[in-house]
Amino acid sequence: MTLALSLGARALMLDGLGDYLEVGASTANFTVYQTNTALCVFPLAATPLGAASNDAIVLGSTPISSTGTEVAGTANRFIITNQNGDTALSGTISAIGGGGDIETPSLTVTAAATQSLNSFVLRMAADGSISLEASLSFQ
């Protein structure tokens, strides 16, 4: 027998992730890394995610810019933390066709240049698996 989550259940589960990002008193962040080195940090809005609709939840206030860090590098992963700095979601970044959770045309992050998180949509399938549709622009 195959388990399947209803659309309503998926929406509530995704809303729960949104609520988790709001735990704390600081700022939730989307941080891009090269292994363990932070390359750019995108500060998220006080209410980072809108209300889920069926199987999707969308990051609000995009695009979000980051002036990056003083370190240049090659993006290969990301971490989203809640307002307490606790990890909520993490994944990989690769070139288009590379199989990362986020695929982008360029992985090169230039130090102190403006980077952009253009869009972010999280989807939950009936089997509970999560997929991500996001757009990052690195300079």
Side-chain angles (χ1 to χ4, degrees), residues 41-139:
V41 179
F42 300 97
L44 305 181
T47 304
L49 298 170
S53 176
N54 295 321
D55 66 347
I57 195 163
V58 178
L59 185 68
S61 302
T62 55
I64 303 169
S65 294
S66 169
T67 55
T69 63
E70 294 304 314
V71 179
T74 303
N76 62 9
R77 69 186 191 102
F78 69 91
I79 296 177
I80 299 173
T81 56
N82 68 8
Q83 294 175 357
N84 268 343
D86 301 321
T87 298
L89 183 68
S90 62
T92 59
I93 299 173
S94 72
I96 293 174
D101 298 306
I102 298 174
E103 295 183 349
T104 186
S106 172
L107 300 172
T108 303
V109 177
T110 303
T114 300
Q115 317 304 327
S116 183
L117 174 57
N118 302 307
S119 64
F120 179 98
V121 179
L122 197 60
R123 294 189 184 280
M124 181 179 284
D127 67 2
S129 63
I130 295 176
S131 63
L132 181 59
E133 299 165 11
S135 170
L136 288 164
S137 298
F138 297 129
Q139 306 296 317

Side-chain angles (χ1 to χ4, degrees), residues 6-74:
S6 70
L7 285 174
R10 287 185 261 168
L12 286 172
M13 293 171 83
L14 290 169
D15 281 336
L17 175 63
D19 292 344
Y20 183 70
L21 289 178
E22 296 176 32
V23 171
S26 188
T27 301
N29 289 301
F30 180 107
T31 305
V32 173
Y33 290 88
Q34 176 179 316
T35 312
N36 294 320
T37 302
L39 299 176
C40 52
V41 179
F42 300 97
L44 305 181
T47 304
L49 298 170
S53 176
N54 295 321
D55 66 347
I57 195 163
V58 178
L59 185 68
S61 302
T62 55
I64 303 169
S65 294
S66 169
T67 55
T69 63
E70 294 304 314
V71 179
T74 303

